[in-house]
Amino acid sequence: MSVSERPVVKRPVYLNLVQIRLPLPGIVSILHRISGAALFLFGIPLLLWAVQASLASADSFASLKATWAHPLVKLVLIGLIWAYLHHLCAGIRYLFLDVHTGIELKPARQSSIIVLAVSLALTVIVGVRLW
Amino acid sequence: MVKRVIVGAHYGLKDWLAQRITAIVMAVYTLLWLAIALYNGGVDYSLWRALFANAAFKIVTLLFGLALLWHAWIGMRDIWMDYIKPTAVRLMLEVLTIVVLVGYAGWFVQLLWGRG
């Protein structure tokens, strides 16, 4: 039977974003992309600005530290720190997948959970250390 | 005749590899900072100033910066390629990304060597 004669099977297509149920590796993947975009849009300029302000003088270094103590700034910073750590952890996972380590379904799921958990735990540790 | 799109991906493998190498450079640089902070029990202003005055640290930080900007370019271009279908809009966003990244690079170099 040629391709054209094959009966058309109507398969369900779920492209509705609120209906899509991503598997764990899929969640890690989309978070990797979102965190990367956030680091490009906000992380890099904020980092450059902070380094510039911190190097100007001891006073500006101190006032930068004071700005960090503001709850709203804290929230943004914690978000970006998580973005960096998640991007790092998920990236390390991809390097392992690149060399065909842990590509079976079960270890791929397990490493996804590890990436999510480790990056969250490291975010908490860094947050506690900074404040 | 093959119809080529000006922003098509014919450079896949090279960029795939560059993405990974730049990632490793940044991961090592992150570990370097972790080691500095742990060794000195935190980073105060005098250590911060001393680091940014050190020639070797400046070079290593420049490497990190270049890796970061190259890595960001590949990642952002992937995002534009995946989600922005009209070629003109995609090209505009890609050019904008390059302009921003080159601007960041200038800022970065100025931070490292521009303060006399």
Side-chain angles (χ1 to χ4, degrees), chain B:
Chain B
M1 195 185 90
V2 181
K3 276 189 92 174
R4 287 193 193 282
V5 181
I6 195 166
V7 283
H10 51 86
Y11 27 61
L13 186 64
K14 195 194 89 189
D15 276 12
W16 177 87
L17 192 61
Q19 191 172 43
R20 269 113 187 118
I21 292 170
T22 52
I24 292 168
V25 169
M26 288 187 285
V28 171
Y29 184 81
T30 305
L31 288 177
L32 176 73
W33 263 109
L34 187 67
I36 290 172
L38 286 178
Y39 180 74
N40 294 285
V43 178
D44 61 5
Y45 181 66
S46 61
L47 175 63
W48 185 251
R49 273 305 286 248
L51 280 170
F52 278 93
N54 181 296
F57 178 84
K58 284 185 186 189
I59 294 291
V60 173
T61 302
L62 178 70
L63 281 179
F64 166 80
L66 293 177
L68 174 62
L69 298 176
W70 193 356
H71 190 89
W73 159 243
I74 298 167
M76 288 310 294
R77 202 210 51 214
D78 281 351
I79 290 178
W80 301 139
M81 284 199 304
D82 279 355
Y83 303 125
I84 311 296
K85 298 304 170 192
T87 306
V89 180
R90 188 167 69 242
L91 180 61
M92 199 186 69
L93 286 168
E94 290 182 359
V95 169
L96 196 65
T97 305
I98 293 173
V99 168
V100 168
L101 286 174
V102 172
Y104 285 160
W107 191 359
F108 208 90
V109 170
Q110 203 241 324
L111 275 182
L112 290 172
W113 282 284
R115 289 166 303 105

Side-chain angles (χ1 to χ4, degrees), chain A residues 18-81:
Chain A
V18 288
Q19 272 187 318
I20 287 179
R21 295 266 294 131
L22 277 174
L24 272 169
I27 291 171
V28 169
S29 175
I30 193 65
L31 287 178
H32 190 239
R33 179 158 275 196
I34 292 169
S35 58
L39 289 168
F40 166 74
L41 286 173
F42 311 111
I44 299 177
L46 200 69
L47 181 74
L48 286 167
W49 173 81
V51 170
Q52 177 168 307
S54 68
L55 286 172
S57 69
D59 283 344
S60 64
F61 187 84
S63 73
L64 193 71
K65 270 195 154 175
T67 315
W68 282 13
H70 192 280
L72 210 65
V73 179
K74 260 187 205 180
L75 200 68
V76 173
L77 272 180
I78 278 289
L80 284 170
I81 288 166

